[in-house]
Amino acid sequence: MTAPIAIPGQHLGSLADYSPGAGTHQAAQQIVASILGAISIAPGAPPTISVSSTSTSTSTPRGPPTGTVLPAVDAEVLARVVRIAPRQATVAILVVAGHVCSDEFQGVIRVEDVRATEKDKVRIQASFRPGDIVRAKVG
């Protein structure tokens, strides 16, 4: 049996139940994966949950049973910043709702979408760089 695979940003467990290990970080009392890799749990009190990077994999990423996952309104996505313009950042959507996309989708983060207040002071160039990985909600 192969170990389950974690993707960056995936919630792995609660700090009440586990202690964070390599390849993880803490966010809002949750343990979150920092890297792509296999999840492992080491015994202890509390058990340590970690993610180890896999450079070569014999298994293929599992997606939905049929078809392609499409980004829908309110879906959480992970995307890579591809281009920067003065009023927007163009991204390539890689993961939709925890499922790795078989096709790459394009998205746009507008200057108005970066934060809720002081929208007139937002500078896209100061917020994003090409290659950044962004977690966003489709709007």
Side-chain angles (χ1 to χ4, degrees):
M1 177 178 237
T2 61
I5 302 294
I7 57 174
Q10 180 179 349
H11 292 272
L12 302 174
S14 169
L15 281 172
D17 300 327
Y18 299 100
S19 65
T24 65
H25 65 275
Q26 300 175 29
Q29 299 299 314
Q30 293 288 318
I31 300 172
V32 180
S34 299
I35 60 173
L36 175 69
I39 300 171
S40 62
I41 300 173
T48 301
I49 191 164
S50 59
V51 177
S52 58
S53 179
T54 54
S55 57
T56 58
S57 177
T58 57
S59 64
T60 57
R62 293 184 190 177
T66 60
T68 302
V69 177
L70 297 173
V73 175
D74 290 332
E76 187 175 276
V77 299
L78 289 177
R80 181 179 52 247
V81 176
V82 179
R83 273 188 313 278
I84 300 291
R87 302 278 307 154
Q88 66 187 23
T90 305
V91 297
I93 298 172
L94 308 171
V95 177
V96 177
H99 297 286
V100 178
C101 295
S102 58
D103 298 325
E104 197 172 270
F105 298 100
Q106 188 175 31
V108 174
I109 300 174
R110 301 170 301 171
V111 70
E112 301 89 27
D113 300 330
V114 175
R115 64 176 166 210
T117 60
E118 298 181 335
K119 294 179 181 183
D120 57 329
K121 294 182 181 180
V122 173
R123 291 185 48 235
I124 289 288
Q125 295 89 347
S127 301
F128 303 103
R129 293 184 303 190
D132 284 352
I133 301 294
V134 179
R135 182 186 307 179
K137 190 176 222 179
V138 176

